[in-house]
Amino acid sequence: MAIYVNEETLTFHLTNRDVSYLFSVLPNGELTHLYYGKKLSHVADFSQLFYTEVKDNSCTEADAALSMDVIRQEYPSFSRSDFRLPAVQLTNKDGHRVSRFTYTGYEKVKGKTKLKGLPATYVESSEEADTLKVFLRDEVLEATLTLSYTIYQHHPVITRHVTLTNHHRDDLIINQMMSASLDFNHNQFDWLELAGSWARERHIKRTPLHAGIQNIQSTRGASSPQHNPFIALLRPETAEHVGEAYGFSLVYSGNFLAQMEVDHYDTTRVTMGINPFDFNWRLERDETFTTPEVVMVYSDQGLNKLSQVYHTLYRTRLARGVWRDKLRPVLINNWEATYFNFNEDKLLQMATEAKQLGVELFVLDDGWFKGRNSDTTSLGDWFVDEKKLPNGLRSLSEKIHGLGLQFGLWIEPEMISPKSELYHAHPDWVVGVNNRPNSPGRNQYVLDFSNKAVIDYIYHLIKERLTEANVDYVKWDMNRFMTEAGSVHLAPADQTSFRHRYILGVYRLYELLTTDFPNVLFESCAAGGARFDPGMLYYAPQGWTSDDTDALERVKIQYGTSLVYPASMMGAHVSAVPNHQTGRMTPIETRGVVAFSGMLGYELDPSQLSKEEKTIVQEQIRHYKQVQPVVQFGQMTRLISPFDDPLHASWQFVSQDETDVLVTYIQQQAQPNPAFRQLKLVGLKKNKAYTLVGTDSIFYGDQLMYHGLELDRYIDRSDAGDARGYLLHFKVQEETE
Ligand code: GLA
């Protein structure tokens, strides 16, 4: 890993074993992007990569024979000779929006610096990464920009973010400030995103780039299930195991924009950051604004490699705390078992039976606080409901602990019900604007987390409950998007900063609570996976992947989610049938097999299970605990996509020590007299012998990889039916003398 700086030409080259990233200072002091992709040998002179020719019809700069419209830029500013959309747009005291940032210097830092108030990837030792800071200044605005780049030593990863400081005595308004911008010299790409909706999160969509602008964004106040804050640019020939892929993942949980602009010379500008729509930020003298971080991954071995890089980085250098490296408990959650209708006896009965099945953690979901008998009431009143739990939370928790289970609690700290004591006491604590009624969502409003007093109040209340109940786990939910976005506590000129301030407030509360409760496992949730993003993963190592627990639907959701996020982040539960979201019947074995590819839990009433099902669940949990390290810490490879093949789906995990291979095979739909099917595994040791656990069959790694496993010899698919899931566990044979 190195950051080379040619002091004469002012060319910067960030490189490690796999990637190179190059940019340089132009004669007019602005920056030009030169290259991003597979590693280039470092040479003194990269001038052959420059392109500064002025085309006919171009406007040129006032003081240089350069047209910024033609130049591949590094962080384009606004309203001069470039007509593409900029990375940064600012308004000064005159209402003028022109900017021009020119190079003033650079600094190299060992390791990686923290982002103030924002989640970001990190290093554990300064040897793991190098950081380059490039300083730019706009003389007219009297403002300085710092572009920060970190390159990791052992991962093909470059992270970027930007800070802006206003030195002028008058305020400067930020209209747009993206975390990263990058101009590719061609448009030979498809772009891929994870799109969806509630209960259908993160489905893979791939489309060729076309002329003009294409983007995804969120305007909902959360990163959203509609579009995840991630895009990948793929060469047309790129597939799971071959070809170039560039990933851009934003460590942010609010409104974002990811945009590609293909211009009239077939170049592609990629920008990513806070959504400039409905966003302005007023910067007073000497104040600094920091953007969220973009994590860029380059792969020359297809999408799988890209995903594996994200998995390892996010699992080990984004997730934090003791639970990062600890095996997660198998949980039972009472939501689908009881909804709001429970009492202490019912919970204890569930917990007792769950314990017998091998469950390790009991999670009390929504409905435990004052008067919360439906979703119409009580959010904000974080006091125990004495009708349901007359002995209080502490007593319940003690009894659950007494059964030998850990105890977890659901909270939704960002929300308030209009029917609540909190709302009567503080109607001004609600997100909203003067003289307009709020639009309810799930019968609730959003609390104004741009107001410190609100966060402080909720913080103390939740802290009291978590302490009193001696919790081991927290499920932090967020069940509606933001409407009438504004705060009565903010000045008129600051209203457009509200959404970002809100997210900063959420991060602040997460930081406070995770610091106070370092041993508690936090799981993020937002009506399922509506805020399943890297920002959340920084605070909560686990997230509820989707409210949809139907096994077949989950195959797609988890497969799509795996493009970026590791299995250690995906909460995955076995629920009852008929499934509550789709009405579908699937065998309990299949539900188990699918949930095995995440952090396993159960979301059902164990007393409703038949004796036979109980035995199956007991066996599932015992088996899962054996293979959990392979799933939680191993390397996942996708084998057959449910988006491409309506009949099948498959993926595998290889353990860190490479001795265990766990293969999941799903028959989505049965076919009569099915054609032969082989499953080719990936990343095995060619010359090692592998036993298929539970059989006498022995295979060599090269046979499994190049010939493939003859599925029909090991699985009876012919009359198995729809929605059948199989787990195949291969183990490297011990060497014998
Ligand atoms: C959301 C969550 C569910 C459950 C309910 C409770 O929908 O995604 O898992 O916690 O809220 O109201």
Side-chain angles (χ1 to χ4, degrees), residues 36 156-159 182 184 189 192 229-234 244-250 270 272 294-299 302-303 306-307 310 314 563-564:
Y36 176 35
V157 172
I158 293 172
T159 67
L182 160 61
F184 286 97
F189 284 127
L192 179 149
F230 167 76
I231 52 168
L233 291 181
L234 314 173
E244 286 193 298
Y246 296 85
F248 300 84
S249 164
L250 186 68
V270 181
M272 192 176 217
V294 169
V295 178
M296 308 194 303
V297 172
Y298 169 77
S299 156
L303 264 171
L306 186 96
S307 302
Y310 276 116
Y314 282 0
L563 260 287
V564 191

Side-chain angles (χ1 to χ4, degrees), residues 335 365-366 372 410 442 475 477 479 525 527-528 544 547:
W335 178 241
D365 209 278
D366 195 356
R372 178 78 168 171
W410 177 96
R442 208 197 189 202
K475 176 174 171 190
D477 210 341
N479 272 313
C525 174
W544 183 221
D547 273 348

Side-chain angles (χ1 to χ4, degrees), residues 6 9 11 41-47:
N6 182 325
T9 59
T11 299
S41 314
H42 183 70
V43 291
D45 179 14
F46 279 107
S47 57

Side-chain angles (χ1 to χ4, degrees), residues 188-376:
Q188 298 307 299
F189 284 127
D190 290 347
W191 70 286
L192 179 149
E193 69 136 331
L194 303 174
S197 179
W198 172 76
R200 277 190 285 110
E201 294 91 341
R202 293 173 295 286
H203 283 210
I204 299 172
K205 308 277 176 198
R206 180 174 176 163
T207 326
L209 272 186
H210 57 73
I213 289 168
Q214 40 249 277
N215 64 33
I216 51 165
Q217 62 180 327
S218 169
T219 57
R220 291 165 189 266
S223 50
S224 91
Q226 279 71 19
H227 303 283
N228 199 255
F230 167 76
I231 52 168
L233 291 181
L234 314 173
R235 293 289 195 162
E237 67 277 9
T238 297
E240 282 288 14
H241 303 287
V242 293
E244 286 193 298
Y246 296 85
F248 300 84
S249 164
L250 186 68
V251 188
Y252 191 57
S253 311
N255 286 358
F256 73 93
L257 173 70
Q259 182 162 286
M260 292 131 292
E261 178 171 3
V262 176
D263 74 359
H264 49 156
Y265 298 118
D266 287 350
T267 71
T268 305
R269 172 167 296 172
V270 181
T271 51
M272 192 176 217
I274 294 175
N275 196 345
F277 172 74
D278 199 34
F279 167 81
N280 279 328
W281 190 278
R282 192 167 56 86
L283 211 55
E284 291 178 15
R285 184 179 201 160
D286 294 331
E287 276 185 347
T288 296
F289 182 84
T290 304
T291 71
E293 173 172 281
V294 169
V295 178
M296 308 194 303
V297 172
Y298 169 77
S299 156
D300 62 352
Q301 293 157 52
L303 264 171
N304 247 302
K305 174 72 191 304
L306 186 96
S307 302
Q308 287 169 350
V309 173
Y310 276 116
H311 293 173
T312 309
L313 184 79
Y314 282 0
R315 184 170 55 73
T316 62
R317 292 295 178 266
L318 179 62
R320 301 177 301 167
V322 294
W323 285 102
R324 186 188 75 178
D325 303 328
K326 235 167 104 168
L327 287 177
R328 313 283 166 70
V330 172
L331 64 81
I332 191 155
N333 178 306
N334 74 310
W335 178 241
E336 288 196 6
T338 65
Y339 293 104
F340 296 103
N341 186 16
F342 59 82
N343 56 27
E344 190 183 284
D345 284 349
K346 175 70 204 166
L347 298 178
L348 289 174
Q349 181 217 340
M350 267 187 75
T352 310
E353 296 208 32
K355 172 70 190 170
Q356 284 160 9
L357 300 176
V359 164
E360 298 166 296
L361 161 70
F362 179 85
V363 180
L364 172 53
D365 209 278
D366 195 356
W368 58 265
F369 46 98
K370 254 192 171 169
R372 178 78 168 171
N373 292 318
S374 72
D375 63 14
T376 60

